Amino acid sequence: MKIPEIISILIIASIALAKSALLSKYDSLAQNQAGVVKLDDLSYNELIRTPERDFGVAVVLTAMDERMKCTPCHKFAPEFHLLAKQAKGRRSTNKNSIVFASLDFMDGQRTFNDLGLNTAPSLFYHPPHQLNGHLYDFNRNGFLAERLVAFLNTHSPTKFAFKRPVDHTSTVIALVLLTILAVFAKKNWNTLTKPFIFSKWSWCMLTLIIILTMTSGYMWNQIRKPPQMVMTKNGAQYFANGVTNQYRAETVIIGTIYALLASTIVILTISVPKIQNTGRQRAAAYLWTLILIVTFSVLVYIFKMKQPIYPFRLFV
Amino acid sequence: MAGSAANNTNNTLKSLLKLFTLLAIAGAAISSRLFSVIRHESIIHEFDPWFNFRATKVLVNHGFKHFWNWYDNTSWYPLGRATGGTLYPGLMLTSGLIHNILHSINIPLDIRNICVLLAPAFSALTAYTTYLFTKEVKDARAGLLAAIFIAIVPGYISRSVAGSYDNEAIAIFLLMFTFYLWVKSLRLGSAFWGAITAMSYYYMVSAWGGYAFIINMIPLHAFVLVLMGRYSPRLYISYCSFYTIGTLASMQVPFVGFNPVGTADHMAALGVFGLLQLIAFSTLIRQHLPSKQQFDTLLRSVLVLGFVVGVAAMALASHKGVIAPWTGRFYSLWDTGYAKVHIPIVASVSEHQPTSWPSFFFDLQMLIYLFPAGVFFCFHRLSDSIKGEASVFVIIYAVFGSYFASVMVRLMLTLTPIVCVAAAVALSTLLDNYIQDPDVEGEHQVENKETDHNTQHNVSHNTSQKAFTPKNKKTKKDTSISSTREKVIEKMQEKAGIRAPDARLVVLINVVLMLIFFVFHSTWVTSNAYSSPSVVLASKTPQGETLYIDDFREAYNWLNQTTSEDAVVGSWWDYGYQLAGMAGRTTLVDNNTWNNTHIATVGKIMASPEEVSYDILRKHDVTHLLVVFGGLLGYSGDDINKFLWMVRISEGVWPDEIHERDYFTPRGEFRMDEGAAPAMKNSVLYKMVYHRFAELFGSRPAVDRVRQIQLPKKGPQLESLEEAFTSENWLVRIYQVKQPDFLGRSFKDAIAFEKAARI
């Protein structure tokens, strides 16, 4: 009467044993490899394509080899390892967990072919018992571990929190520097600090620097993170095409041009009238006017380069 | 006696000339904003203005009371919107008032024309206010230059062309007017002018959400003045009268309500108010004490302590929730990544993007480099005991204005006035040195002149000294050769100035040419970039003829004429205001965007397959769906290009049902052609947009001109929707939502049956 039950229990137990064997195998592998199991074609098949697998797998298909020149792969790897390390600490408490694995293109070309992948890195999360994984969208989410955790939490039955280890070195360095600066300022209070704080010209410099960086598009760079410049066949390209785009180098150039133009105005207004020799004064007035015209022409030229429909140009 | 008479006529002439210049500037300001009216017609532009126009019509037709309590049940169907309490009424009240005044003196001007021309009219006032403000900073000469700049600068024209009937149209005038009154009341130390400032601030609060800029700028100015040791009873009187009256007044605007005492945006003003009381009290005590030294130490420590305690109390209060934290939109100015993560609907709007340098140059041209120079001269002018305070204001405004403008394109508008002021200060200082005679140019003399406010007096001063000029210079030159020591002394006494007339001429000609170039630039930008009504599109045929594309109005008119009055039209929120304004039909969502869930519902309708959408459509009583499609015309601002935002916003509300990932191909491409992702091909938006599009091309392959792709020969099949109207250039397509099948069949079955029956 009870034989079928016993048999079924036995079967379940054996399956459970088998399962835990698979998990413990990859667990220990992960222990040895800093949290991330390094796979090849064979172990990939064993781990991912086993229907009995009762735990989730987050596998990143990457290309870390130098020859592949995969910058995003290298960018993402430390984040992935960071996450794997934290998850490993939690694994002992939660049996139903995630194994973090990676498959390098050099070890798993066949798998790359099977999946039809021609970009790396690609990250899949395979829920327990499922062969088809969810693809993580790097283009949209970027490389940060926080976004990956959010992705995993929406798809996996286990939820886990990620806490980025705070890098204290920069804070400590900043604090030390600040104290040094404070002590220095205090020691030289009368000779340096006080004149500096109470001089309007130091504040003037500060103000002008802020204004110039802001009007030359610094915040755009901070938010959009464009490249420094772009290398083309014809050498470095400093100026991006189109008015809604710019490179970092470009804003520096523009900021300098603005600064030059503004100081030309200031010099013409304040310094030139103070020159006592009439001849020299005349020369200075001509010279700075020329500088003003030429620099402004260059500015207009650059703008026209970026927006070809702009109809005006000056002398350049 | 004779001299003073000559002076009098001279002065009359000068003020007449000034008046005519200002009138000419006003004329330039107004006429440069009329491109769109001349090219197209007197029409309200874009999106938000349509709502303002509709609200104004409610005010004019139904009276103030009805407007104030207006509950609009035709928008945000079925929720409705308590419109009277959720808008800034200043704009509508202004044009309503103008309308009533004109009608009372029997000038029957149509309310539409008043609304269209309100922005240009106010820009003329802005120019005058900027003149007054700059006069407070430097003098009338700089003021006139600033007025010229603000009148034609593209950065301001962008929001004030005829037809752009938006809050900013009057808000920039109010901003500058409030600042001018503030600086003036500070100079005079007058409670009366402080109260006037508060009234102008009240007007501003009722007109634009950007009033938060004023209520942070003025306290900051006061605070910096205190830090600089420039506290004065004048500051106390003007600030306190402004703050108390202004805050009480601003709370009378229903939409603002108790915010001025309850949100972090306004706390800086309160803090400075408290600080000024402390300082005033202690200075009062100080005056009555015999020994001041110990008291000064005590005073300083009490002030520092009070400041620290105040800041800590505010931090605690905002932590405990007594003070509401910074609003999301305001907060995103400081933490630039905030909006993208937390409020995608804010991040999705193009005017909330950061500003690249070409946009600065495009909007300000040469002013952009005169601006830092002008700020530099403001530092130069700080030593002036009275007008220096206005310079401090300009400097603070410049710093914060340029930061805000660089974070958000839209805030270029708040930066523009101060750029004009600073640039005018720079240019007029330059001109002063190159136009006037050398001997009256010594810096100290200029500064002294600034302090007495009687410009007429200055003029007489100038003319009387002229006679002595040449001799004075000669004698000094002769003596200066003797010894180096004497030379140095001489140099300090010698007056700065430009002596060679040709050098002057070169600089002046250059300035004039630059100004002319600026006028050309501004005109070109205004005419090409900022004068399109966006309701009517203009394009050029290869032969050079202008072609007007009037599809939007065609479609709205069709809705207005053919559908029943209670029809509910679903569309993406961009077209909500226009639908309500032009078609007069009920809408699900509009540009007010107050309810993210409702917007996400519309996003879900567009992004889901028909079966899912149909249920939602029926539940919301939607009778028609409207989509904008630019594929035939090459109009890139269409719904397909906005589709990802629809998906993203609805994914934010229904993360289980909508996945952005599904709309991309497995390779991560966003495609519309044969290889489009299944979710994309099944989405209602895709089907509506490309419905029967391929038939238009006959045997040739159908091409979407915006995305430059070929479409499949066999277009998508609609089941629960029925094409009702497509405009001339296919820009607007309207679909009717079918009634449920009368036999209770699914639409698929019904269609299949019909087909079979036909055979």
Side-chain angles (χ1 to χ4, degrees), chain B residues 560-581:
Chain B
N560 187 293
Q561 298 296 318
T562 17
T563 59
S564 67
E565 292 249 331
D566 56 355
V568 179
V569 184
S571 74
W572 190 234
W573 61 264
D574 295 22
Y575 314 106
Y577 278 164
Q578 289 188 347
L579 267 171

Side-chain angles (χ1 to χ4, degrees), chain A residues 25-39 47 57-62 64 76-88 91 98-104 123 148:
Chain A
K25 179 185 166 190
Y26 282 97
D27 239 6
S28 61
L29 269 175
Q31 294 283 344
N32 297 336
Q33 295 168 356
V36 178
V37 187
K38 221 167 149 35
L39 300 174
L47 179 62
V57 177
V59 58
V60 60
L61 298 119
T62 183
M64 298 292 279
F76 178 63
E79 292 287 316
F80 192 62
H81 276 92
L82 199 65
L83 183 59
K85 232 181 193 169
Q86 282 204 10
K88 194 178 71 180
R91 189 168 300 164
I98 301 181
V99 166
F100 289 85
S102 78
L103 174 68
D104 199 280
L123 190 142
L148 180 57

Side-chain angles (χ1 to χ4, degrees), chain A residues 140 224 269 276 281 310, chain B residues 353 433-434 497 499 521 660:
Chain A
R140 200 177 138 222
R224 289 291 150 81
T269 314
Q276 295 304 315
Q281 191 181 52
Y310 187 64
Chain B
Q353 309 303 324
N433 285 5
Y434 282 81
R499 284 171 299 275
H521 172 92
E660 188 183 344

Side-chain angles (χ1 to χ4, degrees), chain B residues 270-426:
Chain B
L270 180 64
V272 169
F273 181 66
L275 190 71
L276 284 181
Q277 308 308 319
L278 275 180
I279 296 172
F281 180 63
S282 44
T283 23
L284 182 75
I285 293 181
R286 193 173 179 274
Q287 281 166 2
H288 295 278
L289 280 181
S291 145
K292 298 195 196 305
Q293 203 156 33
Q294 280 182 326
F295 181 74
D296 277 355
T297 335
L298 183 72
L299 173 64
R300 225 170 275 152
S301 38
V302 163
L303 276 184
V304 170
L305 197 73
F307 182 70
V308 171
V309 168
V311 169
M314 274 184 197
L316 189 73
S318 53
H319 183 71
K320 288 269 175 211
V322 181
I323 302 172
W326 298 82
T327 48
R329 279 165 202 241
F330 212 79
Y331 186 74
S332 60
L333 283 179
W334 301 110
D335 181 1
T336 46
Y338 179 84
K340 206 175 169 191
V341 182
H342 297 279
I343 21 181
I345 201 149
V346 169
S348 75
V349 180
S350 64
E351 59 185 24
H352 292 156
Q353 309 303 324
T355 317
S356 58
W357 80 263
S359 319
F360 277 103
F361 186 80
F362 193 68
D363 276 355
L364 302 168
Q365 216 237 6
M366 70 162 191
L367 304 184
I368 194 75
Y369 66 82
L370 288 176
F371 175 44
V375 172
F376 178 84
F377 291 127
C378 282
F379 271 98
H380 233 254
R381 312 176 66 80
L382 280 185
S383 39
D384 191 318
S385 59
I386 307 271
K387 284 200 174 176
E389 286 166 358
S391 295
V392 175
F393 189 83
V394 173
I395 292 161
I396 301 171
Y397 188 171
V399 170
F400 283 90
S402 49
Y403 172 75
F404 290 146
S406 72
V407 175
M408 228 182 239
V409 174
R410 178 187 182 167
L411 294 177
M412 187 70 101
L413 189 66
T414 50
L415 173 69
T416 305
I418 201 62
V419 169
C420 293
V421 171
V425 168

Side-chain angles (χ1 to χ4, degrees), chain B residues 195-248:
Chain B
I196 303 266
T197 314
M199 282 300 110
S200 166
Y201 170 67
Y202 172 43
Y203 192 2
M204 173 76 177
V205 174
S206 72
W208 194 37
Y211 76 88
F213 186 60
I214 296 183
I215 201 62
N216 283 297
M217 265 305 294
I218 291 180
L220 191 65
H221 182 214
F223 185 62
V224 170
L225 286 179
V226 168
L227 282 187
M228 288 170 75
R230 297 182 88 143
Y231 168 80
S232 62
R234 287 182 291 113
L235 177 65
Y236 179 80
I237 293 167
S238 51
Y239 184 79
C240 292
S241 47
F242 158 73
Y243 178 71
T244 43
I245 301 174
T247 303
L248 284 175

